[in-house]
Amino acid sequence: MLSAALSFARESRIAGGETRIDLGSLIEVLAEDMAATGQPVTVTPGARAIVRGDPAALRRLFANLADNAIRYGNR
């Protein structure tokens, strides 16, 4: 039963809006938005990575990582 539920969740997530995303651009825009609100966030550009995923979920994921870095690492 658990396996069926996990399969259903995976299929629903994939059908729900995965797109090709330039991960570097997503992170740069997020950092700019956070810096505009006064948070001490900077990005060092690196190699570009194109991934498939949900843009909103990825933005949330990296926003959480940045928030934790600020909260626990001061930057």
Side-chain angles (χ1 to χ4, degrees):
M1 214 157 78
L2 180 58
S3 177
L6 289 172
S7 292
F8 175 76
R10 281 189 203 106
E11 290 170 11
S12 296
R13 187 181 62 212
I14 290 169
E18 278 194 358
T19 58
R20 291 175 50 93
I21 303 159
D22 180 339
L23 202 52
S25 292
L26 183 137
I27 292 170
E28 288 171 0
V29 169
L30 173 64
E32 289 171 6
D33 292 348
M34 292 178 81
T37 64
Q39 297 182 31
V41 178
T42 60
V43 172
T44 303
R48 292 293 189 211
I50 305 298
V51 299
R52 292 186 62 79
D54 179 344
L58 286 168
R59 183 178 168 95
R60 232 180 0 261
L61 171 118
F62 287 107
N64 286 339
L65 287 173
D67 285 336
N68 286 336
I70 293 165
R71 183 173 297 126
Y72 301 110
N74 301 318
R75 60 188 171 117

